[in-house]
Amino acid sequence: MASTSKANLTEDDEEEEEIEHFDDFTLASSWERFISEIEATCRQWSADGPKNLLEKGAVHLDYSNKMYRIKSELKDATKIYSMEYYFGIDNNGNISDWNCTLHDLQLCFGVKEFLVISPQSASGVVLDAPESSKLLSAVAIALSNCSCLWPAFVPVHDPSRKAFIGIQNMGTIFTRRFEADRIGSQVPVKFMHLEGLYELFVSKFAYWTSDHLTHLFKVYLMMKLTYRTLPNDDENDGIQDADAENAESEKMPDGGNHNRKHWDDDCPWSEWYSAEDPVKGFDLVTTWSEKVIESSLEMAEMENASPHEAEKWILTPNLSPNLDSSKGDRIGFASQLQLLVSALDMSFEAQFMEDFVSDENLGSDNLKSSMVIPPPTVLDRVLKDLLLEGRQFPDFAKGKHKRSQAIKGAPLESLFAQFCLHSLWFGNCSIRAIAVLWVEFVREIRWYWEESQPLPKMPAHGSIDLATCLINQKLQMLAICIEKKRELNEEFQDCLGSNDDVFAHMEVEDIQVGEESTSFLTQSQDFDGKRDSPLILEGFNESRTSISKFSTNSQDVYSADKSTSDSKRRGSAGPVGSMKLLNSCQSLHAPFTQNAPLMTEDMHEERLRAVEAFGDSFNFSAQLERETLSSDMSAFKAANSDAAFEDFIRWHSPGDWENDGSEANDEWPPRGKLSQRMSGPGNSWRKIWNDAPSLPAYEQKPLLDPNREGEKILHYLETVRPHQLLEQMVCTAFRASADTLHQTNFGSLKQMTTKMDQLYHTMASTLRPLQANLLSGNSEKIGDLKRLCVALEHVEKLLTLTASLRHKFIQVPRVYEAIFSDYYDFYLPNMGKGSADVDIQKEFDLKLQLKMNERQVVSNMFTPPTANQSWRKVLSMGNLLNGHEPILRQIVFSKRDSGSDCHYAVSTRGGLHMDDQQEIETYRMYVCGTSNDLRVALCVTSYD
């Protein structure tokens, strides 16, 4: 028994040992294991499907929105290969549609999803022919085993040849084989022409060479030709607007182009800088849809066809790489404002602008070298442009945006705004260069003051605009002071030069107006405070101004003073309706009054602080306007000698006179009383009334002393703190830059209207601390200002692109609107980033199909080549567009056979056979190249 069980145990062990040492001879070799590994990978990819592959790390291809790639490593003996599977989420597209972006192999062979297997080496190609055949066979067997119909490709030969071999199991009895190669130079002349390429394709299936001429083969053809405009910045070509330049060259005897202009000469920023044209040119793709060719003669005729006969025109703009570059080397308002903000950051280091002019105060040598100032000739030219060539009456509404007023700067055409814009380009906009320019600028301003010359680019009349920055207010007030000073000087000179005539004139006036006249000698002794005639209304409120508040008869001062009872009136502008004085039954007359004194913002604040120091809030307004109120009361007393305080209130402040409701227009005396605030004890208005003398406006001391105020303004400009000056310069420079850019004509692009509104809103909120003098040294607000520069740079780039596109497509606005809108959507994600954060990996690639009425405008951009350009190449490809041959020609030849007229109609294994009406693309050849480059990809379907 024991021996029997031992024998059975031995037999079982032997069986187990045989199972453990079982050899699977189907995977005995490394090549078979390699095939198995390929098969396993393909099965897994096929089972996962596109969506799961995306979750497993499939990489999106940049050149296509729907193409992805997944990769796997394979090992065969000592070599490692990389197998890549290219697939799309949506495979319903048409490969023959050349408007979409396709992979190179999709274009060459007309496939959708495919495999590429290549060695992991420096070249990435299989250089050995037997190895490439073996590798392709292994992939074909693996795909057949797992029933995958994917085409597979292997890169071969030299990498520069872009050569591939491939194979695909069609799932039936057919197999497709692929082969592609390239000639990089010395293309045979025959293959430069369509006729030769046609014969090359026919030779692939014609049995004899003579068949090319004796037989008519039905060949299908699709063709795409790509043209490119000459670059705008080509130094030799200098191509500009075609129509304008051709017309000028015909008129000029030497055919020169001496008056050639830059592309943005008519743009608003061209006064300050010349921008690079963001549109370098265009690529035009003309496409011929599928047509049947039966002979070489038809191909020769097609080579002479005009591109205007193509079914589709596709336009692609070639934009400057600097348009969305992160290098930050673009010159414009934004780049210069960055420098101005840096100067503001340094302005806290000194108390006066003169401190930055001296080399001793600059510190290190590196700081000195970075703050080099321009030569005196440049300084003189800037000051001349600012002061001598400026318009005397600027249009402050020019370029003004509806939200521009929210930024407390200076109007674009004003003197200070122009100074700020000039400072952006003066030297390197360093604090030292700005200081030198400012010191000389203030010296020139003093010269205008001392010589009583009108201040350029500043209005000499009107009120002070308190919504602007303080320096602009000061300059505006200085211009008014200069004008008043000039008037006084001219009057004084006239008086000195014609004493006899003046005395005679005064005698006549004494007779006409009686006591209204005053001694001329008395006036001349205190000339600064008086006018020489009540008829000179400048500096006073005219009668129509005073009377406009009331219902008044239209009478002048003389007709109002004709009666004997009115003989004591002086400076009357006429009666105020039927109003009567309280103490006498005489008409109440409105006087000529002086204009209220002009004050800048700091003067208002100073007076406000002084009045608040009194602590009498009830009489706050009277104290604040004491001088003006006293002047009005004096003029009222002179025009109404019997007037009482109540009469002045009835005229000046009707709301403080309470009628009893029964007063008639002709009733006298008027019945009513003063309001409570005017009748209270210690009323400041009554005190001023009691102290006011009876003087007409032309005998009063002017409320505005031009000499005193002018010197105070110049003292402020000469001693302004650097950081206060730079704060106002930054606000004004941002506002002026934005207003200049806003003048760009961008048509009906709503995106730019929105961006400009957003820019002004951002500027107003960011610059508010500067307007309130809340900035301090090393403040974090400097960082906010630099980010504001970036926001302005984005808008500036878009406006430059808009101007360029609109200039080129003004006749077809749909084109430039479509191009800009597409670029705007492309660029929008980067607008919230700094220049260093901009993603430059993706490229803008718009393909816009043109309408028939738009083709001629685009065709005109392809100007006929000049003599300087014609020597570059010999035209040899045909299909010329205004003398330009295509830079790229792509052709797809194909031949199709039906089941009834070829050897493919034979019965297949398993009893399957083809439908007699079914067509198979038996031959396909893709040709791509120029006269110096030719690439051919052939696809042949065979019966196995």
mmCIF file of all heavy atoms in Angstrom, residues 807-841:
data_model
loop_
_atom_site.group_PDB
_atom_site.id
_atom_site.type_symbol
_atom_site.label_atom_id
_atom_site.label_comp_id
_atom_site.label_asym_id
_atom_site.label_seq_id
_atom_site.Cartn_x
_atom_site.Cartn_y
_atom_site.Cartn_z
ATOM 1 N N HIS A 807 -7.923 100.509 -41.241
ATOM 2 C CA HIS A 807 -7.247 101.205 -42.334
ATOM 3 C C HIS A 807 -7.180 100.333 -43.577
ATOM 4 O O HIS A 807 -7.287 100.820 -44.709
ATOM 5 C CB HIS A 807 -5.847 101.609 -41.879
ATOM 6 C CG HIS A 807 -5.053 102.330 -42.925
ATOM 7 N ND1 HIS A 807 -4.177 101.676 -43.762
ATOM 8 C CD2 HIS A 807 -5.021 103.625 -43.281
ATOM 9 C CE1 HIS A 807 -3.635 102.544 -44.592
ATOM 10 N NE2 HIS A 807 -4.124 103.742 -44.316
ATOM 11 N N LYS A 808 -7.027 99.043 -43.388
ATOM 12 C CA LYS A 808 -6.876 98.127 -44.524
ATOM 13 C C LYS A 808 -8.220 97.672 -45.092
ATOM 14 O O LYS A 808 -8.306 97.363 -46.285
ATOM 15 C CB LYS A 808 -6.056 96.902 -44.091
ATOM 16 C CG LYS A 808 -4.612 97.237 -43.714
ATOM 17 C CD LYS A 808 -3.915 96.023 -43.145
ATOM 18 C CE LYS A 808 -2.438 96.306 -42.892
ATOM 19 N NZ LYS A 808 -2.213 97.392 -41.927
ATOM 20 N N PHE A 809 -9.234 97.614 -44.237
ATOM 21 C CA PHE A 809 -10.516 97.060 -44.689
ATOM 22 C C PHE A 809 -11.657 98.061 -44.484
ATOM 23 O O PHE A 809 -12.761 97.673 -44.140
ATOM 24 C CB PHE A 809 -10.825 95.764 -43.933
ATOM 25 C CG PHE A 809 -9.847 94.663 -44.170
ATOM 26 C CD1 PHE A 809 -8.916 94.321 -43.199
ATOM 27 C CD2 PHE A 809 -9.828 93.974 -45.370
ATOM 28 C CE1 PHE A 809 -8.002 93.305 -43.407
ATOM 29 C CE2 PHE A 809 -8.919 92.951 -45.589
ATOM 30 C CZ PHE A 809 -7.999 92.621 -44.612
ATOM 31 N N ILE A 810 -11.383 99.342 -44.706
ATOM 32 C CA ILE A 810 -12.401 100.357 -44.492
ATOM 33 C C ILE A 810 -13.588 100.148 -45.434
ATOM 34 O O ILE A 810 -14.727 100.478 -45.104
ATOM 35 C CB ILE A 810 -11.786 101.762 -44.684
ATOM 36 C CG1 ILE A 810 -12.804 102.847 -44.318
ATOM 37 C CG2 ILE A 810 -11.275 101.935 -46.101
ATOM 38 C CD1 ILE A 810 -13.215 102.855 -42.887
ATOM 39 N N GLN A 811 -13.324 99.554 -46.605
ATOM 40 C CA GLN A 811 -14.401 99.342 -47.574
ATOM 41 C C GLN A 811 -15.222 98.093 -47.286
ATOM 42 O O GLN A 811 -16.335 97.956 -47.801
ATOM 43 C CB GLN A 811 -13.816 99.257 -48.997
ATOM 44 C CG GLN A 811 -13.106 100.529 -49.438
ATOM 45 C CD GLN A 811 -12.473 100.374 -50.808
ATOM 46 O OE1 GLN A 811 -12.507 99.292 -51.394
ATOM 47 N NE2 GLN A 811 -11.909 101.454 -51.318
ATOM 48 N N VAL A 812 -14.676 97.199 -46.504
ATOM 49 C CA VAL A 812 -15.401 95.962 -46.153
ATOM 50 C C VAL A 812 -15.336 95.792 -44.630
ATOM 51 O O VAL A 812 -14.551 94.995 -44.115
ATOM 52 C CB VAL A 812 -14.811 94.731 -46.876
ATOM 53 C CG1 VAL A 812 -15.266 94.683 -48.314
ATOM 54 C CG2 VAL A 812 -13.274 94.740 -46.828
ATOM 55 N N PRO A 813 -16.158 96.540 -43.907
ATOM 56 C CA PRO A 813 -16.062 96.515 -42.435
ATOM 57 C C PRO A 813 -16.306 95.148 -41.821
ATOM 58 O O PRO A 813 -15.820 94.871 -40.729
ATOM 59 C CB PRO A 813 -17.131 97.539 -42.003
ATOM 60 C CG PRO A 813 -18.038 97.683 -43.175
ATOM 61 C CD PRO A 813 -17.192 97.456 -44.389
ATOM 62 N N ARG A 814 -17.041 94.270 -42.492
ATOM 63 C CA ARG A 814 -17.287 92.950 -41.919
ATOM 64 C C ARG A 814 -15.984 92.200 -41.682
ATOM 65 O O ARG A 814 -15.848 91.448 -40.702
ATOM 66 C CB ARG A 814 -18.192 92.127 -42.843
ATOM 67 C CG ARG A 814 -18.631 90.791 -42.234
ATOM 68 C CD ARG A 814 -19.190 89.851 -43.285
ATOM 69 N NE ARG A 814 -18.156 89.287 -44.119
ATOM 70 C CZ ARG A 814 -17.511 88.144 -43.848
ATOM 71 N NH1 ARG A 814 -17.805 87.464 -42.750
ATOM 72 N NH2 ARG A 814 -16.576 87.685 -44.667
ATOM 73 N N VAL A 815 -15.017 92.409 -42.574
ATOM 74 C CA VAL A 815 -13.760 91.666 -42.467
ATOM 75 C C VAL A 815 -12.996 92.091 -41.224
ATOM 76 O O VAL A 815 -12.572 91.246 -40.410
ATOM 77 C CB VAL A 815 -12.911 91.868 -43.741
ATOM 78 C CG1 VAL A 815 -11.565 91.175 -43.587
ATOM 79 C CG2 VAL A 815 -13.652 91.311 -44.949
ATOM 80 N N TYR A 816 -12.792 93.415 -41.055
ATOM 81 C CA TYR A 816 -11.979 93.822 -39.902
ATOM 82 C C TYR A 816 -12.736 93.616 -38.592
ATOM 83 O O TYR A 816 -12.122 93.352 -37.548
ATOM 84 C CB TYR A 816 -11.480 95.264 -40.064
ATOM 85 C CG TYR A 816 -12.457 96.363 -39.718
ATOM 86 C CD1 TYR A 816 -12.720 96.719 -38.411
ATOM 87 C CD2 TYR A 816 -13.078 97.097 -40.726
ATOM 88 C CE1 TYR A 816 -13.588 97.738 -38.100
ATOM 89 C CE2 TYR A 816 -13.946 98.126 -40.428
ATOM 90 C CZ TYR A 816 -14.200 98.447 -39.104
ATOM 91 O OH TYR A 816 -15.067 99.468 -38.806
ATOM 92 N N GLU A 817 -14.045 93.697 -38.616
ATOM 93 C CA GLU A 817 -14.798 93.419 -37.400
ATOM 94 C C GLU A 817 -14.697 91.943 -37.018
ATOM 95 O O GLU A 817 -14.561 91.608 -35.835
ATOM 96 C CB GLU A 817 -16.262 93.815 -37.594
ATOM 97 C CG GLU A 817 -16.488 95.325 -37.660
ATOM 98 C CD GLU A 817 -17.928 95.671 -37.952
ATOM 99 O OE1 GLU A 817 -18.744 94.729 -38.086
ATOM 100 O OE2 GLU A 817 -18.247 96.869 -38.043
ATOM 101 N N ALA A 818 -14.740 91.058 -38.020
ATOM 102 C CA ALA A 818 -14.639 89.623 -37.735
ATOM 103 C C ALA A 818 -13.237 89.264 -37.224
ATOM 104 O O ALA A 818 -13.096 88.492 -36.270
ATOM 105 C CB ALA A 818 -14.971 88.816 -38.989
ATOM 106 N N ILE A 819 -12.202 89.826 -37.847
ATOM 107 C CA ILE A 819 -10.831 89.534 -37.415
ATOM 108 C C ILE A 819 -10.602 90.046 -36.002
ATOM 109 O O ILE A 819 -10.056 89.341 -35.142
ATOM 110 C CB ILE A 819 -9.813 90.145 -38.387
ATOM 111 C CG1 ILE A 819 -9.934 89.484 -39.772
ATOM 112 C CG2 ILE A 819 -8.393 89.992 -37.859
ATOM 113 C CD1 ILE A 819 -9.028 90.110 -40.814
ATOM 114 N N PHE A 820 -11.043 91.294 -35.741
ATOM 115 C CA PHE A 820 -10.810 91.852 -34.410
ATOM 116 C C PHE A 820 -11.590 91.092 -33.348
ATOM 117 O O PHE A 820 -11.067 90.821 -32.258
ATOM 118 C CB PHE A 820 -11.198 93.326 -34.386
ATOM 119 C CG PHE A 820 -11.062 93.938 -33.015
ATOM 120 C CD1 PHE A 820 -9.824 94.345 -32.552
ATOM 121 C CD2 PHE A 820 -12.160 94.074 -32.178
ATOM 122 C CE1 PHE A 820 -9.685 94.880 -31.286
ATOM 123 C CE2 PHE A 820 -12.037 94.608 -30.915
ATOM 124 C CZ PHE A 820 -10.793 95.018 -30.464
ATOM 125 N N SER A 821 -12.833 90.759 -33.634
ATOM 126 C CA SER A 821 -13.638 90.052 -32.646
ATOM 127 C C SER A 821 -13.012 88.706 -32.292
ATOM 128 O O SER A 821 -12.984 88.314 -31.122
ATOM 129 C CB SER A 821 -15.058 89.848 -33.177
ATOM 130 O OG SER A 821 -15.698 91.090 -33.391
ATOM 131 N N ASP A 822 -12.481 88.013 -33.290
ATOM 132 C CA ASP A 822 -11.856 86.723 -33.023
ATOM 133 C C ASP A 822 -10.581 86.904 -32.208
ATOM 134 O O ASP A 822 -10.311 86.130 -31.279
ATOM 135 C CB ASP A 822 -11.540 86.014 -34.349
ATOM 136 C CG ASP A 822 -11.326 84.524 -34.157
ATOM 137 O OD1 ASP A 822 -12.317 83.792 -34.084
ATOM 138 O OD2 ASP A 822 -10.154 84.108 -34.073
ATOM 139 N N TYR A 823 -9.795 87.928 -32.542
ATOM 140 C CA TYR A 823 -8.570 88.164 -31.764
ATOM 141 C C TYR A 823 -8.908 88.626 -30.349
ATOM 142 O O TYR A 823 -8.211 88.261 -29.389
ATOM 143 C CB TYR A 823 -7.693 89.200 -32.450
ATOM 144 C CG TYR A 823 -6.390 89.422 -31.715
ATOM 145 C CD1 TYR A 823 -5.325 88.540 -31.870
ATOM 146 C CD2 TYR A 823 -6.236 90.480 -30.825
ATOM 147 C CE1 TYR A 823 -4.139 88.711 -31.170
ATOM 148 C CE2 TYR A 823 -5.063 90.663 -30.120
ATOM 149 C CZ TYR A 823 -4.015 89.781 -30.303
ATOM 150 O OH TYR A 823 -2.853 89.945 -29.606
ATOM 151 N N TYR A 824 -9.949 89.419 -30.216
ATOM 152 C CA TYR A 824 -10.350 89.886 -28.891
ATOM 153 C C TYR A 824 -10.685 88.701 -27.985
ATOM 154 O O TYR A 824 -10.281 88.661 -26.818
ATOM 155 C CB TYR A 824 -11.551 90.822 -29.028
ATOM 156 C CG TYR A 824 -12.038 91.397 -27.721
ATOM 157 C CD1 TYR A 824 -11.458 92.537 -27.183
ATOM 158 C CD2 TYR A 824 -13.088 90.805 -27.021
ATOM 159 C CE1 TYR A 824 -11.903 93.070 -25.984
ATOM 160 C CE2 TYR A 824 -13.538 91.327 -25.820
ATOM 161 C CZ TYR A 824 -12.945 92.469 -25.316
ATOM 162 O OH TYR A 824 -13.381 92.990 -24.119
ATOM 163 N N ASP A 825 -11.427 87.735 -28.515
ATOM 164 C CA ASP A 825 -11.745 86.540 -27.729
ATOM 165 C C ASP A 825 -10.488 85.734 -27.420
ATOM 166 O O ASP A 825 -10.390 85.122 -26.345
ATOM 167 C CB ASP A 825 -12.740 85.671 -28.493
ATOM 168 C CG ASP A 825 -14.082 86.358 -28.667
ATOM 169 O OD1 ASP A 825 -14.402 87.260 -27.877
ATOM 170 O OD2 ASP A 825 -14.807 86.015 -29.626
ATOM 171 N N PHE A 826 -9.535 85.746 -28.343
ATOM 172 C CA PHE A 826 -8.277 85.034 -28.115
ATOM 173 C C PHE A 826 -7.428 85.731 -27.051
ATOM 174 O O PHE A 826 -6.796 85.082 -26.208
ATOM 175 C CB PHE A 826 -7.508 84.950 -29.438
ATOM 176 C CG PHE A 826 -6.058 84.574 -29.300
ATOM 177 C CD1 PHE A 826 -5.680 83.259 -29.118
ATOM 178 C CD2 PHE A 826 -5.061 85.540 -29.352
ATOM 179 C CE1 PHE A 826 -4.344 82.910 -28.988
ATOM 180 C CE2 PHE A 826 -3.719 85.205 -29.227
ATOM 181 C CZ PHE A 826 -3.368 83.877 -29.039
ATOM 182 N N TYR A 827 -7.428 87.065 -27.065
ATOM 183 C CA TYR A 827 -6.553 87.851 -26.187
ATOM 184 C C TYR A 827 -7.193 88.150 -24.835
ATOM 185 O O TYR A 827 -6.491 88.456 -23.872
ATOM 186 C CB TYR A 827 -6.201 89.165 -26.883
ATOM 187 C CG TYR A 827 -5.127 89.980 -26.196
ATOM 188 C CD1 TYR A 827 -3.809 89.522 -26.157
ATOM 189 C CD2 TYR A 827 -5.413 91.202 -25.593
ATOM 190 C CE1 TYR A 827 -2.824 90.265 -25.529
ATOM 191 C CE2 TYR A 827 -4.435 91.948 -24.977
ATOM 192 C CZ TYR A 827 -3.142 91.478 -24.951
ATOM 193 O OH TYR A 827 -2.166 92.214 -24.335
ATOM 194 N N LEU A 828 -8.511 88.050 -24.748
ATOM 195 C CA LEU A 828 -9.223 88.435 -23.538
ATOM 196 C C LEU A 828 -8.725 87.736 -22.278
ATOM 197 O O LEU A 828 -8.597 88.380 -21.228
ATOM 198 C CB LEU A 828 -10.727 88.186 -23.724
ATOM 199 C CG LEU A 828 -11.638 88.666 -22.590
ATOM 200 C CD1 LEU A 828 -11.526 90.176 -22.428
ATOM 201 C CD2 LEU A 828 -13.080 88.268 -22.869
ATOM 202 N N PRO A 829 -8.422 86.431 -22.296
ATOM 203 C CA PRO A 829 -7.944 85.793 -21.051
ATOM 204 C C PRO A 829 -6.657 86.393 -20.509
ATOM 205 O O PRO A 829 -6.358 86.232 -19.329
ATOM 206 C CB PRO A 829 -7.740 84.322 -21.469
ATOM 207 C CG PRO A 829 -8.642 84.129 -22.640
ATOM 208 C CD PRO A 829 -8.630 85.427 -23.368
ATOM 209 N N ASN A 830 -5.875 87.079 -21.352
ATOM 210 C CA ASN A 830 -4.606 87.637 -20.905
ATOM 211 C C ASN A 830 -4.726 89.070 -20.412
ATOM 212 O O ASN A 830 -3.749 89.643 -19.940
ATOM 213 C CB ASN A 830 -3.580 87.603 -22.040
ATOM 214 C CG ASN A 830 -3.222 86.190 -22.434
ATOM 215 O OD1 ASN A 830 -3.191 85.303 -21.590
ATOM 216 N ND2 ASN A 830 -2.960 85.975 -23.711
ATOM 217 N N MET A 831 -5.903 89.669 -20.510
ATOM 218 C CA MET A 831 -6.030 91.085 -20.171
ATOM 219 C C MET A 831 -5.913 91.350 -18.687
ATOM 220 O O MET A 831 -5.572 92.441 -18.276
ATOM 221 C CB MET A 831 -7.363 91.629 -20.693
ATOM 222 C CG MET A 831 -7.405 91.793 -22.187
ATOM 223 S SD MET A 831 -8.850 92.696 -22.721
ATOM 224 C CE MET A 831 -8.664 92.563 -24.496
ATOM 225 N N GLY A 832 -6.200 90.359 -17.880
ATOM 226 C CA GLY A 832 -6.072 90.562 -16.450
ATOM 227 C C GLY A 832 -4.708 90.217 -15.911
ATOM 228 O O GLY A 832 -4.494 90.227 -14.706
ATOM 229 N N LYS A 833 -3.754 89.935 -16.799
ATOM 230 C CA LYS A 833 -2.420 89.513 -16.377
ATOM 231 C C LYS A 833 -1.402 90.584 -16.712
ATOM 232 O O LYS A 833 -1.610 91.426 -17.572
ATOM 233 C CB LYS A 833 -2.019 88.205 -17.076
ATOM 234 C CG LYS A 833 -3.002 87.059 -16.869
ATOM 235 C CD LYS A 833 -2.566 85.833 -17.651
ATOM 236 C CE LYS A 833 -3.551 84.688 -17.509
ATOM 237 N NZ LYS A 833 -3.149 83.504 -18.297
ATOM 238 N N GLY A 834 -0.283 90.527 -16.026
ATOM 239 C CA GLY A 834 0.824 91.382 -16.385
ATOM 240 C C GLY A 834 1.527 90.861 -17.621
ATOM 241 O O GLY A 834 1.282 89.750 -18.084
ATOM 242 N N SER A 835 2.431 91.677 -18.150
ATOM 243 C CA SER A 835 3.124 91.286 -19.379
ATOM 244 C C SER A 835 3.907 90.003 -19.195
ATOM 245 O O SER A 835 4.031 89.186 -20.103
ATOM 246 C CB SER A 835 4.053 92.419 -19.822
ATOM 247 O OG SER A 835 3.307 93.563 -20.142
ATOM 248 N N ALA A 836 4.431 89.801 -18.000
ATOM 249 C CA ALA A 836 5.250 88.607 -17.770
ATOM 250 C C ALA A 836 4.414 87.342 -17.627
ATOM 251 O O ALA A 836 4.930 86.242 -17.729
ATOM 252 C CB ALA A 836 6.096 88.793 -16.508
ATOM 253 N N ASP A 837 3.113 87.517 -17.412
ATOM 254 C CA ASP A 837 2.244 86.361 -17.207
ATOM 255 C C ASP A 837 1.478 85.960 -18.459
ATOM 256 O O ASP A 837 0.699 85.018 -18.427
ATOM 257 C CB ASP A 837 1.233 86.659 -16.091
ATOM 258 C CG ASP A 837 1.934 86.964 -14.779
ATOM 259 O OD1 ASP A 837 3.005 86.385 -14.550
ATOM 260 O OD2 ASP A 837 1.411 87.782 -14.005
ATOM 261 N N VAL A 838 1.664 86.690 -19.553
ATOM 262 C CA VAL A 838 0.895 86.415 -20.754
ATOM 263 C C VAL A 838 1.312 85.084 -21.352
ATOM 264 O O VAL A 838 2.503 84.792 -21.485
ATOM 265 C CB VAL A 838 1.084 87.548 -21.790
ATOM 266 C CG1 VAL A 838 0.406 87.187 -23.099
ATOM 267 C CG2 VAL A 838 0.514 88.842 -21.236
ATOM 268 N N ASP A 839 0.338 84.275 -21.692
ATOM 269 C CA ASP A 839 0.602 82.969 -22.292
ATOM 270 C C ASP A 839 0.859 83.135 -23.778
ATOM 271 O O ASP A 839 -0.028 83.492 -24.535
ATOM 272 C CB ASP A 839 -0.599 82.051 -22.068
ATOM 273 C CG ASP A 839 -0.369 80.647 -22.629
ATOM 274 O OD1 ASP A 839 0.789 80.349 -22.997
ATOM 275 O OD2 ASP A 839 -1.329 79.874 -22.695
ATOM 276 N N ILE A 840 2.093 82.917 -24.191
ATOM 277 C CA ILE A 840 2.458 83.093 -25.604
ATOM 278 C C ILE A 840 2.626 81.756 -26.304
ATOM 279 O O ILE A 840 3.120 81.698 -27.422
ATOM 280 C CB ILE A 840 3.754 83.915 -25.726
ATOM 281 C CG1 ILE A 840 4.911 83.189 -25.032
ATOM 282 C CG2 ILE A 840 3.564 85.304 -25.179
ATOM 283 C CD1 ILE A 840 6.257 83.842 -25.254
ATOM 284 N N GLN A 841 2.218 80.673 -25.662
ATOM 285 C CA GLN A 841 2.379 79.370 -26.288
ATOM 286 C C GLN A 841 1.368 79.169 -27.409
ATOM 287 O O GLN A 841 1.668 78.575 -28.434
ATOM 288 C CB GLN A 841 2.228 78.272 -25.228
ATOM 289 C CG GLN A 841 3.272 78.353 -24.111
ATOM 290 C CD GLN A 841 4.686 78.222 -24.629
ATOM 291 O OE1 GLN A 841 4.953 77.441 -25.542
ATOM 292 N NE2 GLN A 841 5.602 79.000 -24.060
#
